[in-house]
Amino acid sequence: MKTPNKDTTPGGFLPQTRNDLLGLINKTDAELDKHPTRRQALNRLRAAGLTTEDSFKKASPSQVAAAHRAYFDHVLAPAGGFDAIETIRDDHAASALADVMFQHGASGGTLILQRAINQRLKELDESIHLNEDQKMGPNVLTYYNHLVSEQGSRDLLLDQLADERRRYMEENNQPIGPGEETRFNYYRG
């Protein structure tokens, strides 16, 4: 996972990651019951002693590690949580997906994935099209996994993913510094 840098809040969390996790803490039982992995994520946070904004600021490395796992259980809940990353056949592609979700949050990361997948499906003349609704679901990971299972397609999808990250940041007036350029290029195919 990402190591703390100038973009992290105290405790080693990116602002969006911290906000998503704090949102998880405030979910109702009915919301948690919709996706068992969200309840599992909340339980991980509680077990690590991360239940308030202040506790995130003072998190130890082991608490940060527990929170990162909880984060993926939360943002990938409709697709199976953290374990869904393990189903991706290509390690580099799995890392790229995890980084997108981690860096851009649940809704932003999902939109970036949906756009990249849709562009690749369009290039393949597929009639399938994912809704670009910023909602993670099993279809997003199913199509992602399918598109990265063949080397040429994988490379094109990862290039598209990098392009969509840039587009998303530009649309949201987020600065793109040298560190982001390096990150985009690292995850290219």
Side-chain angles (χ1 to χ4, degrees):
M1 293 297 156
K2 187 173 179 351
T3 56
N5 65 25
K6 65 181 176 67
D7 298 328
T8 59
T9 60
F13 293 95
L14 292 165
Q16 184 62 46
T17 304
R18 186 201 61 224
N19 292 341
D20 283 345
L21 288 170
L22 288 170
L24 173 64
I25 290 169
N26 295 319
K27 291 217 177 283
T28 65
D29 282 338
E31 291 172 311
L32 290 169
D33 288 340
K34 288 180 184 176
H35 299 289
T37 56
R38 284 209 174 112
R39 184 168 299 283
Q40 182 178 339
L42 181 58
N43 291 338
R44 282 186 207 287
L45 290 177
R46 287 178 178 156
L50 297 169
T51 56
T52 65
E53 186 163 359
D54 193 50
S55 66
F56 278 86
K57 290 178 183 176
K58 298 175 182 173
S60 69
S62 63
Q63 287 174 309
V64 171
H68 288 173
R69 171 117 188 196
Y71 177 73
F72 287 112
D73 277 339
H74 172 47
V75 298
L76 297 175
F82 177 84
D83 293 336
I85 295 171
E86 295 295 317
T87 67
I88 298 171
R89 297 177 191 121
D90 181 278
D91 289 344
H92 187 71
S95 293
L97 180 139
D99 192 67
V100 165
M101 297 304 294
F102 194 70
Q103 294 292 323
H104 302 286
S107 60
T110 300
L111 179 62
I112 291 166
L113 288 167
Q114 290 166 333
R115 287 176 173 176
I117 291 166
N118 281 338
Q119 181 59 36
R120 188 68 196 114
L121 291 171
K122 182 179 175 183
E123 291 167 358
L124 293 168
D125 291 323
E126 296 287 340
S127 60
I128 301 162
H129 179 81
L130 294 174
N131 289 330
E132 293 179 4
D133 58 6
Q134 301 182 332
K135 294 179 182 172
M136 177 55 69
N139 284 345
V140 174
L141 291 186
T142 298
Y143 289 117
Y144 186 84
N145 204 13
H146 172 73
L147 291 168
V148 300
S149 64
E150 186 266 311
Q151 186 66 39
S153 178
R154 169 202 175 268
D155 292 348
L156 292 170
L157 178 64
L158 293 178
D159 287 347
Q160 188 63 42
L161 193 62
D163 294 343
E164 291 299 336
R165 290 177 82 161
R166 169 180 285 289
R167 175 181 165 197
Y168 179 83
M169 291 182 74
E170 289 171 348
E171 288 174 348
N172 290 281
N173 298 316
Q174 296 173 353
I176 301 172
E180 285 303 315
E181 287 293 338
T182 300
R183 181 178 299 281
F184 295 158
N185 291 327
Y186 176 79
Y187 287 110
R188 287 189 179 276

